[in-house]
PDB file of all heavy atoms in Angstrom:
ATOM      1  N   ARG B 270      67.249 174.418 100.790  1.00  0.00           N
ATOM      2  CA  ARG B 270      66.425 173.355 100.917  1.00  0.00           C
ATOM      3  C   ARG B 270      66.516 172.761 102.307  1.00  0.00           C
ATOM      4  O   ARG B 270      67.497 172.629 102.901  1.00  0.00           O
ATOM      5  CB  ARG B 270      66.816 172.235  99.935  1.00  0.00           C
ATOM      6  CG  ARG B 270      66.531 172.598  98.439  1.00  0.00           C
ATOM      7  CD  ARG B 270      67.144 171.624  97.523  1.00  0.00           C
ATOM      8  NE  ARG B 270      66.640 170.288  97.848  1.00  0.00           N
ATOM      9  CZ  ARG B 270      67.238 169.098  97.331  1.00  0.00           C
ATOM     10  NH1 ARG B 270      68.133 169.255  96.510  1.00  0.00           N
ATOM     11  NH2 ARG B 270      66.760 168.046  97.665  1.00  0.00           N
ATOM     12  N   GLU B 271      65.271 172.394 102.890  1.00  0.00           N
ATOM     13  CA  GLU B 271      65.214 171.857 104.228  1.00  0.00           C
ATOM     14  C   GLU B 271      65.924 170.577 104.372  1.00  0.00           C
ATOM     15  O   GLU B 271      66.500 170.281 105.455  1.00  0.00           O
ATOM     16  CB  GLU B 271      63.735 171.798 104.642  1.00  0.00           C
ATOM     17  CG  GLU B 271      63.035 173.196 104.844  1.00  0.00           C
ATOM     18  CD  GLU B 271      63.754 174.019 105.987  1.00  0.00           C
ATOM     19  OE1 GLU B 271      64.238 173.352 106.946  1.00  0.00           O
ATOM     20  OE2 GLU B 271      63.733 175.281 105.937  1.00  0.00           O
ATOM     21  N   ASP B 272      65.844 169.705 103.331  1.00  0.00           N
ATOM     22  CA  ASP B 272      66.457 168.345 103.498  1.00  0.00           C
ATOM     23  C   ASP B 272      68.052 168.540 103.480  1.00  0.00           C
ATOM     24  O   ASP B 272      68.688 167.764 104.112  1.00  0.00           O
ATOM     25  CB  ASP B 272      66.092 167.428 102.395  1.00  0.00           C
ATOM     26  CG  ASP B 272      66.135 167.974 100.936  1.00  0.00           C
ATOM     27  OD1 ASP B 272      66.324 169.168 100.788  1.00  0.00           O
ATOM     28  OD2 ASP B 272      65.973 167.158  99.999  1.00  0.00           O
ATOM     29  N   THR B 273      68.522 169.482 102.698  1.00  0.00           N
ATOM     30  CA  THR B 273      69.929 169.779 102.706  1.00  0.00           C
ATOM     31  C   THR B 273      70.386 170.298 104.078  1.00  0.00           C
ATOM     32  O   THR B 273      71.382 169.882 104.539  1.00  0.00           O
ATOM     33  CB  THR B 273      70.303 170.785 101.609  1.00  0.00           C
ATOM     34  OG1 THR B 273      69.866 170.312 100.285  1.00  0.00           O
ATOM     35  CG2 THR B 273      71.748 171.137 101.617  1.00  0.00           C
ATOM     36  N   ARG B 274      69.556 171.113 104.590  1.00  0.00           N
ATOM     37  CA  ARG B 274      69.816 171.730 105.945  1.00  0.00           C
ATOM     38  C   ARG B 274      69.943 170.510 106.988  1.00  0.00           C
ATOM     39  O   ARG B 274      70.946 170.495 107.746  1.00  0.00           O
ATOM     40  CB  ARG B 274      68.674 172.649 106.278  1.00  0.00           C
ATOM     41  CG  ARG B 274      68.730 173.178 107.621  1.00  0.00           C
ATOM     42  CD  ARG B 274      67.482 173.979 107.868  1.00  0.00           C
ATOM     43  NE  ARG B 274      67.482 174.898 108.952  1.00  0.00           N
ATOM     44  CZ  ARG B 274      66.444 175.629 109.421  1.00  0.00           C
ATOM     45  NH1 ARG B 274      65.306 175.493 108.816  1.00  0.00           N
ATOM     46  NH2 ARG B 274      66.600 176.470 110.489  1.00  0.00           N
ATOM     47  N   ALA B 275      69.072 169.615 106.950  1.00  0.00           N
ATOM     48  CA  ALA B 275      69.070 168.476 107.939  1.00  0.00           C
ATOM     49  C   ALA B 275      70.357 167.649 107.727  1.00  0.00           C
ATOM     50  O   ALA B 275      71.022 167.184 108.676  1.00  0.00           O
ATOM     51  CB  ALA B 275      67.808 167.691 107.790  1.00  0.00           C
ATOM     52  N   LYS B 276      70.687 167.389 106.459  1.00  0.00           N
ATOM     53  CA  LYS B 276      71.916 166.540 106.143  1.00  0.00           C
ATOM     54  C   LYS B 276      73.158 167.267 106.612  1.00  0.00           C
ATOM     55  O   LYS B 276      74.063 166.547 107.202  1.00  0.00           O
ATOM     56  CB  LYS B 276      71.918 166.333 104.641  1.00  0.00           C
ATOM     57  CG  LYS B 276      73.209 165.622 104.103  1.00  0.00           C
ATOM     58  CD  LYS B 276      73.251 165.413 102.640  1.00  0.00           C
ATOM     59  CE  LYS B 276      74.487 164.974 102.146  1.00  0.00           C
ATOM     60  NZ  LYS B 276      74.996 163.702 102.796  1.00  0.00           N
ATOM     61  N   ILE B 277      73.395 168.505 106.330  1.00  0.00           N
ATOM     62  CA  ILE B 277      74.653 169.217 106.779  1.00  0.00           C
ATOM     63  C   ILE B 277      74.709 169.238 108.293  1.00  0.00           C
ATOM     64  O   ILE B 277      75.793 168.848 108.816  1.00  0.00           O
ATOM     65  CB  ILE B 277      74.617 170.596 106.308  1.00  0.00           C
ATOM     66  CG1 ILE B 277      74.737 170.574 104.752  1.00  0.00           C
ATOM     67  CG2 ILE B 277      75.805 171.385 106.826  1.00  0.00           C
ATOM     68  CD1 ILE B 277      74.716 171.979 104.018  1.00  0.00           C
ATOM     69  N   LEU B 278      73.699 169.459 108.958  1.00  0.00           N
ATOM     70  CA  LEU B 278      73.715 169.415 110.462  1.00  0.00           C
ATOM     71  C   LEU B 278      74.061 168.115 111.012  1.00  0.00           C
ATOM     72  O   LEU B 278      74.892 167.988 112.009  1.00  0.00           O
ATOM     73  CB  LEU B 278      72.356 169.981 111.052  1.00  0.00           C
ATOM     74  CG  LEU B 278      72.106 171.410 110.834  1.00  0.00           C
ATOM     75  CD1 LEU B 278      70.657 171.745 111.183  1.00  0.00           C
ATOM     76  CD2 LEU B 278      72.993 172.261 111.671  1.00  0.00           C
ATOM     77  N   ALA B 279      73.406 167.071 110.464  1.00  0.00           N
ATOM     78  CA  ALA B 279      73.743 165.639 110.961  1.00  0.00           C
ATOM     79  C   ALA B 279      75.218 165.268 110.629  1.00  0.00           C
ATOM     80  O   ALA B 279      75.868 164.715 111.457  1.00  0.00           O
ATOM     81  CB  ALA B 279      72.795 164.726 110.347  1.00  0.00           C
ATOM     82  N   ASP B 280      75.637 165.553 109.386  1.00  0.00           N
ATOM     83  CA  ASP B 280      76.990 165.238 109.080  1.00  0.00           C
ATOM     84  C   ASP B 280      78.060 166.001 109.788  1.00  0.00           C
ATOM     85  O   ASP B 280      79.117 165.448 110.073  1.00  0.00           O
ATOM     86  CB  ASP B 280      77.113 165.339 107.529  1.00  0.00           C
ATOM     87  CG  ASP B 280      76.395 164.307 106.620  1.00  0.00           C
ATOM     88  OD1 ASP B 280      76.014 163.394 107.267  1.00  0.00           O
ATOM     89  OD2 ASP B 280      76.312 164.534 105.418  1.00  0.00           O
ATOM     90  N   MET B 281      77.734 167.268 110.089  1.00  0.00           N
ATOM     91  CA  MET B 281      78.640 168.131 110.916  1.00  0.00           C
ATOM     92  C   MET B 281      78.893 167.492 112.232  1.00  0.00           C
ATOM     93  O   MET B 281      80.004 167.339 112.699  1.00  0.00           O
ATOM     94  CB  MET B 281      78.158 169.528 111.045  1.00  0.00           C
ATOM     95  CG  MET B 281      79.077 170.359 111.877  1.00  0.00           C
ATOM     96  SD  MET B 281      78.381 172.062 112.192  1.00  0.00           S
ATOM     97  CE  MET B 281      77.100 171.698 113.358  1.00  0.00           C
ATOM     98  N   GLU B 282      77.739 167.086 112.904  1.00  0.00           N
ATOM     99  CA  GLU B 282      77.932 166.504 114.214  1.00  0.00           C
ATOM    100  C   GLU B 282      78.807 165.227 114.090  1.00  0.00           C
ATOM    101  O   GLU B 282      79.677 164.961 115.055  1.00  0.00           O
ATOM    102  CB  GLU B 282      76.514 166.180 114.796  1.00  0.00           C
ATOM    103  CG  GLU B 282      76.605 165.597 116.185  1.00  0.00           C
ATOM    104  CD  GLU B 282      75.260 165.429 116.725  1.00  0.00           C
ATOM    105  OE1 GLU B 282      74.191 165.825 116.143  1.00  0.00           O
ATOM    106  OE2 GLU B 282      75.184 164.887 117.953  1.00  0.00           O
ATOM    107  N   ARG B 283      78.531 164.383 113.165  1.00  0.00           N
ATOM    108  CA  ARG B 283      79.249 163.095 112.972  1.00  0.00           C
ATOM    109  C   ARG B 283      80.712 163.303 112.759  1.00  0.00           C
ATOM    110  O   ARG B 283      81.568 162.586 113.244  1.00  0.00           O
ATOM    111  CB  ARG B 283      78.562 162.298 111.827  1.00  0.00           C
ATOM    112  CG  ARG B 283      79.278 160.902 111.557  1.00  0.00           C
ATOM    113  CD  ARG B 283      78.490 160.153 110.613  1.00  0.00           C
ATOM    114  NE  ARG B 283      78.300 160.918 109.308  1.00  0.00           N
ATOM    115  CZ  ARG B 283      79.241 161.049 108.292  1.00  0.00           C
ATOM    116  NH1 ARG B 283      80.365 160.379 108.453  1.00  0.00           N
ATOM    117  NH2 ARG B 283      78.856 161.737 107.262  1.00  0.00           N
TER     118      ARG B 283
END
Side-chain angles (χ1 to χ4, degrees):
R270 293 172 49 192
E271 291 296 331
D272 55 347
T273 301
R274 178 186 195 183
K276 173 178 169 56
I277 293 174
L278 288 170
D280 287 351
M281 178 185 72
E282 182 173 357
R283 179 173 55 83

